[in-house]
Every structure is written in structure tokens, then in C-alpha cells.
Amino acid sequence: MKHRDDISETEALRLELEQTRQHLADTVQELTHQLNVPKRLKESAAEAGSRVKANAGVAGQRIRANAGYAGLRVKDTATHVPALTKQHPKTTAAVGGAVLLGAGAAAWLASRSK
């Protein structure tokens, strides 16, 4: 194995020329890729499609998990309603009256607008 000092000037120039050729080939390859717009667009679209699919999968999992949790909360709350109405009959009557009053007002307004 020769050291840099042991290499002749001609050999040093050949090595430098080979490195320059390799660098030039790499540069040409990169420029060719940069100038191939249709191919780059296809690559970008494929990457975007992959990201959308991945995000949609994650979003779907979150929605399913949250929907299950919400369903449990509604079911849990609904089972407590009868006990709550017995514990707070005046509040239940007031809320029921307000709902009926609102429904009556909405029906009256709807009949007036005809």
C-alpha cells in the first residue's frame, strides 16, 4: 500500500480525476432526478397517499375508541336517570316543564309562520 507521498504525480492526478468523475456522475444523476418532474410528481403523490392512508387509519381507530367510550357514558348516564329523578323530583319537573314549554313555543311559532 502506497502512502500519498509515495504516489507519483501522475497517479495523484488519476485519483483526483476519478474522484471528479464520480462527483460529476453523482451531480448529473441528481440533476436528472430533479428535472424529471412527472416522476417526482408521482413519487410525491404516492408519499401523500401513504400518509393519508396512515392518518385515516389512526383517525378511524380514535373514532371507534371514542365512540365506544361515549356509548358507555350514555348507557351509564341513562341507567342513573331514574334514580336521579327520584332523588330530585322538583328539578325533574322543572326540566320537563321547560322542555314542554320550549316545544309548545316552537309549535306555536311554526304555526304562525304559515
Side-chain angles (χ1 to χ4, degrees), residues 28-49 51:
V28 167
Q29 187 177 9
E30 181 62 31
L31 286 172
T32 301
H33 177 72
Q34 296 270 341
L35 294 174
N36 191 346
V37 175
K39 182 178 179 180
R40 287 181 46 214
L41 286 173
K42 286 180 185 177
E43 290 172 353
S44 294
E47 289 171 9
R51 284 194 306 272

Side-chain angles (χ1 to χ4, degrees), residues 58-109:
V58 169
Q61 290 172 348
R62 287 182 181 165
I63 289 170
R64 285 189 293 278
N66 288 336
Y69 178 70
L72 290 175
R73 288 198 52 175
V74 168
K75 184 178 177 183
D76 186 45
T77 303
T79 58
H80 288 72
V81 169
L84 290 172
T85 58
K86 287 179 185 176
Q87 289 176 350
H88 307 286
K90 290 181 184 178
T91 305
T92 303
V95 169
V99 169
L100 287 175
L101 182 62
W108 178 70
L109 288 173

